Amino acid sequence: MSLDSKIPAGEMDKKWTDYKGHVKLVNPSNKRKLEVIVVGTGLAGASAAASLGELGYKVKAFCFQDSPRRAHSIAAQGGINAAKNYQNDGDSVFRLFYDTVKGGDYRAREANVHRLAEVSNNIIDQCVAQGVPFAREYGGLLSNRSFGGTQVQRTFYAAGQTGQQLLLGAYSALERQVALGNVIMYNRHEMLDIVKIDGKARGIIARDLVNGTLERHFGHAVLLCTGGYGNVFYLSTNAMGSNVTAAWKAHKQGAWFGNPCFTQIHPTCIPVSGDHQSKLTLMSESLRNDGRIWVPKKKEDNRKGVDIPEEERDYYLERRYPAFGNLVPRDVASRAAKERCDEGYGVGTTKMAVYLDFADAIIRYGKIEAGKQGLENVSEADIIKMGKGVVEEKYGNLFEMYEKITGENPYEMPMRIYPAVHYTMGGLWVDYELKTTVDGLYALGEANFSDHGANRLGASALMQGLADGYFVIPYTLGNYLADDISTAAIPTSHPAFEEMEKAVSDRINQLMNIKGKQTVESFHKRLGKIMWDKCGMARNANNLQEAIVEIQALKKEFWSDVKIPGDVNEMNPELDKAGRVADFIELGELMCKDALNRNESCGGHFREESQTEEGEAKRDDENYSFVSAWEYKGESDWQLNKEPLTFDIVKPTQRSYK
């Protein structure tokens, strides 16, 4: 089977318009006959379910939380990109497209990225109409701030809670469709496999997480909107429940996995404090607008940050990348922090942290405030007080969160930050229509591999999730379902449903019957350590080969010695977790395989064997200008398929942010 990405012909900026003009449609009365399953109700899932319900399809939405409001999309802090150019600073759809392709280190599909840039503006209008309280300028216009990898201000935001506000907007649209009867909501249900009939996805097997029973659900098509797989590293900024199970089950049923090794390390997270920790907390990239990142010029400097004089500080991002300074893309900022700490310039008790300092910004804003109020001869203390007020208004909840977690006041002391696993650019391979290699099975948002290449620009995750759900899938899904209007709903007594339910049940019982001695959590921790040490911020062939062997051994041990208390037919979070960790172990092996195969550095994938003299990522466009799409063949056995990437508009060059 070859990979057909179904990119429409014609000029780049006309492809999507042209596609929409010629796509097959389903008329309103036929939509009412068609059933669509949406798995996951974060930004991508809630927006897709709401949009498809609004169009008249019969939608069933599955949420493994008690409410879609708990989706991890809620944790996004800094903002959402769109090319509205309100600032009049030179932004355009083309520039957003260009920055995204370049920021992704030329490993994304141009046509998808261009479409994303085009629909970005509609998203802002849609969300404002839903009442999302974006920050506004004094005159009432929507406000923008900068994010990494761009030289314009295009990030719309709602304080440090943009994800929460956007999710509440999508959630209210979804609940409206639930109230109208167009969407049936299944809370506390986890999809444990897809059901295929004649090669097409026709439903799912889900477990009711409250009473443990397995259920069969039919759909003419299945949409996976289940987020990313960053928790394969155990410690990450993801919610503890975020997992790869839905995508992985689809993968084992024939959906190819795209670029699994492309994971994003976020440069500004609160550092690890000890072995007892189960997750990490992000400090929004928006802080890099005003915060300056530095380390002491002297190794092993144990003085407090505030006690180190200006001339003894190394603002290393401003020094190395003068054009972009503290706003270089995430992969560049993360590697630079790691390099300084590895060289012995790190700060804090673990020495695995750098400073993010707001002192300059506080004084700058204080002076502006004094000027606004026409005050002269203002004392430094008053300037600092006024400056703190401005910073609090912009970033208050982030500063509060930092103080709650660390016990330090970031208005007085520089924050300590260190990179951590955050987002996954890899995911199920999809074509231009967001369809996987399984007919009738779609993947949206972070669950697909699609728009970010080897590194996602900040504030583009919310943009992609909502673009896919609100503006892409309503067209592309109709194109597929138009041929299905004569297909009646298939009863769930069909042998395919029976067989799949039995397979799911057998696997659950197999897990329960191991009755070993080690907890699920301990296996997850060990997997995470292997992944972070050997397939984390830097990778090399030797480490990756070791990791594959270690993960295979860990898998054997898991399936012979894991301990799961409780029973099958009841609420059993430990059992739920065991299934997810089993899938993570298999995914970890594939990630290392993919990283080993990609013998180049690009974006978040940094192979130590492939770097420039200055330690920057060195791509190999001649040999690796492709998407890796892995086909599952059997245990520890995958076949690599390649989708060649061509760049007609944004010609690949050595990425420079100097």
Side-chain angles (χ1 to χ4, degrees), residues 104-412:
D105 219 355
Y106 307 95
R107 291 293 174 263
R109 194 189 286 151
E110 274 192 336
N112 283 59
V113 177
H114 199 281
R115 172 176 67 188
L116 178 65
E118 286 175 61
V119 304
S120 67
N121 291 341
N122 303 2
I123 297 171
I124 304 303
D125 299 340
Q126 172 98 357
C127 295
V128 169
Q130 289 171 345
V132 172
F134 286 121
R136 291 180 182 266
E137 300 292 355
Y138 181 71
L141 289 175
L142 296 184
S143 181
N144 288 109
R145 55 187 174 201
S146 295
F147 259 58
T150 70
Q151 288 177 306
V152 296
Q153 291 189 298
R154 66 160 70 102
T155 304
F156 295 78
Y157 63 98
Q161 333 165 330
T162 317
Q164 179 176 5
Q165 300 302 337
L166 291 172
L167 185 68
L168 291 175
Y171 170 72
S172 59
L174 171 63
E175 286 303 310
R176 179 170 175 267
Q177 295 307 317
V178 171
L180 292 171
N182 299 329
V183 177
I184 301 172
M185 196 67 224
Y186 293 89
N187 293 339
R188 305 293 285 138
H189 278 65
E190 182 169 31
M191 176 199 125
L192 291 183
D193 223 319
I194 60 165
V195 177
K196 290 196 308 190
I197 298 174
D198 300 329
K200 292 183 175 183
R202 291 296 194 194
I204 65 169
I205 304 295
R207 183 167 187 266
D208 180 328
L209 298 178
V210 177
N211 60 28
T213 51
L214 295 178
E215 297 176 5
R216 311 170 187 180
H217 295 276
F218 164 79
H220 287 87
V222 177
L223 277 52
L224 300 183
C225 312
T226 48
Y229 50 87
N231 272 348
V232 67
F233 291 93
Y234 187 70
L235 280 180
S236 83
T237 65
N238 289 271
M240 292 299 292
S242 300
N243 64 81
V244 76
T245 290
W248 195 250
K249 298 298 193 236
H251 172 55
K252 291 178 89 169
Q253 291 257 20
W256 296 359
F257 213 100
N259 297 335
C261 80
F262 286 170
T263 49
Q264 177 160 77
I265 313 293
H266 197 295
T268 50
C269 295
I270 298 178
V272 177
S273 57
D275 292 339
H276 58 280
Q277 214 167 335
S278 56
K279 86 174 289 302
L280 296 170
T281 304
L282 183 69
M283 286 284 103
S284 166
E285 183 168 312
S286 61
L287 296 173
R288 292 200 272 149
N289 267 294
D290 286 317
R292 296 177 72 194
I293 292 172
W294 63 277
V295 290
K297 284 183 178 171
K298 201 172 83 192
K299 288 188 181 185
E300 304 291 337
D301 193 329
N302 289 321
R303 289 175 291 177
K304 283 185 176 165
V306 283
D307 296 337
I308 298 175
E310 191 66 22
E311 62 276 6
E312 293 180 40
R313 300 176 174 193
D314 175 16
Y315 294 94
Y316 59 88
L317 290 177
E318 296 169 35
R319 170 171 58 79
R320 283 176 63 176
Y321 308 103
F324 282 72
N326 294 299
L327 282 170
V328 290
R330 292 177 174 179
D331 57 321
V332 179
S334 295
R335 269 197 301 281
K338 179 181 191 295
E339 183 272 334
R340 288 288 79 190
C341 292
D342 290 351
E343 288 297 311
Y345 295 97
V347 301
T349 42
T350 60
K351 296 293 179 208
M352 291 309 262
V354 300
Y355 286 128
L356 175 62
D357 196 340
F358 270 79
D360 282 8
I362 287 172
I363 286 170
R364 186 176 79 245
Y365 283 128
K367 285 178 176 167
I368 292 170
E369 277 304 295
K372 273 192 204 165
Q373 294 173 31
L375 306 172
E376 288 175 23
N377 303 324
V378 188
S379 71
E380 190 173 346
D382 283 343
I383 283 177
I384 288 173
K385 190 178 172 189
M386 286 189 275
K388 281 180 184 170
V390 177
V391 168
E392 186 174 356
E393 199 176 316
K394 285 184 103 166
Y395 307 110
N397 65 316
L398 298 169
F399 277 55
E400 268 171 47
M401 199 158 69
Y402 181 87
E403 187 167 3
K404 252 191 187 133
I405 291 170
T406 64
E408 284 179 10
N409 178 349
Y411 294 102
E412 310 290 337

Side-chain angles (χ1 to χ4, degrees), residues 47-60:
S47 60
S51 303
L52 296 171
E54 177 85 41
L55 287 171
Y57 293 105
K58 284 161 74 174
V59 180
K60 296 181 197 169

Side-chain angles (χ1 to χ4, degrees), residues 491-505:
T492 53
S493 54
H494 188 286
F497 279 95
E498 281 186 19
E499 280 165 33
M500 191 43 70
E501 186 185 326
K502 185 179 183 311
V504 169
S505 175

Side-chain angles (χ1 to χ4, degrees), residues 98 102 105-106 619 621 650-656:
Y98 175 90
K102 177 187 171 188
D105 219 355
Y106 307 95
R619 287 195 329 270
D621 291 331
V650 187
K651 299 292 181 204
T653 52
Q654 177 63 39
R655 261 196 325 166
S656 170

